[in-house]
Each structure stands twice: as structure tokens, then as C-alpha cells.
Amino acid sequence: MVRKLNHNDNSNSFAVSQVMDKKKISKLKIIHIAAEAAPFSTVGGMSSVITYLSRTLAKDGHDVSIFMPKFGFIDEKTYPLELVYKGLKVPTGHTKDPNFPSHLICNVKRYVAEDGVSFYFLENMEYYEKRSNVYNYSDDYLRWALLAYGSLQYISNHMEKEPDIIHVHDWHTALVPNIVFKEYKPKGKFENTSCVLTIHNISFQGQSIDPASELNFDDGKSRIPAFYNDRFKKLNFLKRGIIYSDIVNTVSEGYARQILTQAYGCGLEILLMELRSKLFGIINGIDYVKFDPQNDPFLEANFSINTVERRLINKKKLQKEFNLEQDDGVPIFAFVGRLDHQKGVDLMIEVVEKFLKDFNAQFVLIGSGDMELEKGAKRLAEKFPKKVGVHTYANFTLPKLVFGGADMLLMPSRFEPCGIVQMETMRYGAIPIVRATGGLDDTVEDFNPSDLTGNGFKFKDFDGWSLYGQMVRAQETYRNKTVWKQIQLNAMSTDFSWDNIADKYIALYNKAIHFKKEGYFNKNLE
Ligand code: GLC
């Protein structure tokens, strides 16, 4: 039996109701524009969300493309790219000043994936090809503005038909709806195209200058300056995306509610409050083929909901990999993910240290990121050599073994728009212990001992005692094998598949088309 998520709050207005009869839905032409997409670039969770959503929509017969930069590290031997346009001239806005080029030149390359999704790559030596990272350059605002302008120019002038939907993600591409509205619409272009902005993380907004100063305030509506102009650094890309999109959504209903508050809105809460009737929340999904314990090649032993006891073989292998004592009876707590302030890794290390002094448990951690946090994790391993194992380098096989062999997975995030690891781990029967925030709150249902429902353990406040308390609760519950097995079955049978979620996006796209037609939100933007 597949279980549906049982959200805590059914009264919110951010849910998207699905269109029921799939056959009656007209097929849409959808274009995503994003900083990255899997498998070509996979820095953040957003990259897989875009690709798997696209794949599912293409399977349902929609025409889906993704525009992104051609980074130097994308290997053209593995992915042969076809050159579809040479020398696209993207105007910089400088026509008279001899100090600045009037155009930047991009090539456009394409890769059509087996599932039918077309990836378009903007190739530019200076801004993408020569850079070894995706993010964090001082001229990021120019790199993403180039992606926005370049993609729109190619779509408008060189594609057969204008799309029904342009879907942009996070601040990097949030300038697109602004450009569509101010520069294309007056010329009669993109008249039937609606723009959707997904916020994966509101804390990044694109101002590359101190936004706290009054002088740097961006009202969001002023004219976009020419490239290289200092004023460009003041633009709050995300704010502009929110203003000019027909619909804005975030990656969970919980986070949609939270960003309306001062504590989570990062300065955009008042604007979002004003525009909340175009704000929605749709939880992400996970890929059921890639994350399938029955067929996963990275597991020592495959298993299903009927053979959960086979996880013990993976547990032994995991203990061996991390040089831990090989003991079935000791619970393994784990962490997999970015070592980042957002994820509460600092709090976790502190609490795990206290916990391991008093309880017979083990802890494994896989992740990289912040150097201080990496050091903290390594120090913990030195203190408890038999109880703690740490891997701080990129490894694609070990996380699967953790999901399939560990007993509990910790996610004490300060904030979490959606979170993906908790869903992956549940599918493999490792039980999440999470802070009840954003998407974690929406996907994890607290275990209830009176009727044995729930698929994890949750705590409310971001503090050590709250996390400690749930770890103790999980450790004690784990001793009762029958009860623990029930929680595992609950977790493994929760539905996180993309099919259901892609239907919600189709409903969202149709809403965007409707809002645009009726001119609900852009009347006073002209
Ligand atoms: C960001 C968020 C994370 C979310 C992901 C994909 O990385 O921090 O919570 O799961 O985007 O939407």
C-alpha cells in the first residue's frame, strides 16, 4: 500500500490541487532556464529537481527543454553536443561607450536525452568555459544576466514556437520574467508565454553589494541597467523574479508559509505577503529508478519492503567501510549532505558527542563543504575512533550504503525549503530524525507509539536538547524490533514519486496561464 503524506496543517492556501483527468490536459511547451541541471552539473539539490521534473513531464507528452551554461567541466566525449547556433550576439546595452563591448557572443549547443528532454547550453569562453566552479564569482550577476538574455534571445528568434511556460529557478535566472515583461512584451513577443519562478532557497537573492545600505536598495521595478554598470550589482534578481512572474512557488507548502515571516523571508516577506495569492508550495520528489533498494548496484544486499531484514548485510558492510565495530545490535546514526550552516551541522556535532558518551551507538558522516565543519567532524572521529566514521570527499556509492545500512539519519536544519535526503533515506528504511521546518516538516510524520503511525522523529526548536531528546527516543524505540520494523515499513511506503508531483506542476502551469490571461498580477507594472 502506498501512503500519502499526512500534512500537519490542512488549512493552508499554498497547496496546488491537481487536474484529475490527464487525457484532457493539453500538452504544453515548457522551457526551464537554470544555473545547473543534472547530470551535467550537480552542485545543489535543485539540479536534480529540474531534470527529474522535466523527465516526468516529457514522459507525459509535454515538450520540455532546459537552458543552462556550458561549463568547462561538462565532458563532450560523454555527452556529444550538437552545435545548433554559432555566434549568438547578446546585446550588453552599451551602444556608444567604446570601453565596453556592445555584444557578448555565445554558441548554443544541444543534447537530446533519451527521455526526450532537450538540454540547450550557452557556450561562452570568458563567463562559463574558463570557470571551474558553477557559483561564487564576483561577476556572478553578469554570468547569470548573460544566461537570461542569451536564452531568451535564442528562444525568441531561433525556436519554432514560443513556449507556453518559461520556468526559472532561484535568483540566478530570476531576471528572466523581468526581461520578458519589460523588453519582449512591448515588442509583441512572448504574448502567450507565462513565467513561473521556483524559489529553492530565499536566502540567496543576487545582490552582490551590501543590501543593508539604503543606497543599495532595489525597488525591483527600475530599468535593468547595461552590463558592467555598477548599478547592476544592486539588483535584487529574486525580488524582480517575484514581482514579474505570473506564479511563484517554493519547494514545500511549509516553506511557502515560513517565507512570509520575518524569521525566514530574508527581507522579502512583506512583498511576498502582498503577492501571496500567486504563491504556492509543491514538495520535490525523488527518482524511483535511481533510488530503489531492490535494484541499487551500490548496496551490498538488495532488499524490498518484504525483506527489510536484509539491511543487516548492508549495515555490516557499512561498519566495515568506516572501521567501526561490527555489531548488529548497535544503532547507527548518520548524516549525508552539504556541511553547511543551514543544515545545522555545528549543532549536530556537539550533540552527537554528548550522546556517544552516554549511549552505545555509532555515527557516520558523509559530506563536504565548510572547512570548519569538516574539521569538527574529523575531531569527533578522533575522539571516538570505534564509534564514529567520517568521509569528507565526494563519493557517489557510500551514501547509498548509508541509506541502506544505517538505522537513523539526522537532519537538524536551521531552515530547509524541501530537503531531499530525508526522502531518499526513507525509501531505504533508515529513519529520519529531523527538525520540523519547511519541507522536513511536510515530509516526515512524527512516530506515534499509540497507533504505530509515523515515519520518523521530529523536534521543533533549533537547540541541542531538542535534538538530543529525539535521538534518545529513537534509540529506545529501536530496541523494540517489531515496532522499529513498523516505522521502517511506514517510511518505505510513503509516496515521494515524481509522477504525482509533476501533475501538480501541470496544474500550477495552467494556473500561471490563467493568471497571465486575466492580467491578475501585472496590471500596475506597465
Ligand atoms: C535547495 C534547498 C533544499 C531543496 C533543494 C531543491 O538546495 O536548500 O531544501 O531540497 O534546493 O529544491
Side-chain angles (χ1 to χ4, degrees), residues 43-50 169-170 198-204 250-252 255 282-284 338 342-343 411 413 415-423 439-440 505:
V43 182
M46 179 185 91
S47 66
S48 47
V49 170
I50 294 167
H169 299 263
D170 271 354
T198 296
I199 301 175
H200 297 262
N201 188 338
I202 204 166
S203 65
F204 302 109
T250 68
V251 283
S252 67
Y255 192 59
I282 302 180
I283 201 84
N284 294 325
R338 266 184 296 135
Q342 176 196 339
K343 304 281 174 187
M411 281 187 88
S413 301
F415 69 94
E416 198 62 76
C418 176
I420 294 178
V421 173
Q422 81 278 13
M423 297 191 259
L440 294 175
Y505 269 97

Side-chain angles (χ1 to χ4, degrees), residues 127-151:
Y127 289 107
Y128 309 133
E129 200 74 14
K130 275 195 198 157
R131 314 290 175 101
S132 43
N133 296 317
V134 175
Y135 303 110
N136 290 333
Y137 293 95
S138 59
D139 59 355
D140 270 357
Y141 64 100
L142 280 179
R143 301 171 67 228
W144 305 125
L146 177 62
L147 178 65
Y149 278 105
S151 304

Side-chain angles (χ1 to χ4, degrees), residues 181-182 185-186 221 243-244 519 521-526:
F181 196 83
K182 287 285 192 191
K185 205 176 154 239
K221 294 181 190 170
I243 293 175
Y244 288 100
F521 294 105
N522 38 29
K523 282 210 176 83
N524 46 19
L525 292 174
E526 307 282 345

Side-chain angles (χ1 to χ4, degrees), residues 176-202:
V176 166
N178 190 171
I179 303 170
V180 166
F181 196 83
K182 287 285 192 191
E183 298 186 20
Y184 282 88
K185 205 176 154 239
K187 293 183 198 145
K189 302 269 182 85
F190 293 129
E191 287 219 299
N192 297 312
T193 300
S194 304
C195 291
V196 173
L197 163 70
T198 296
I199 301 175
H200 297 262
N201 188 338
I202 204 166

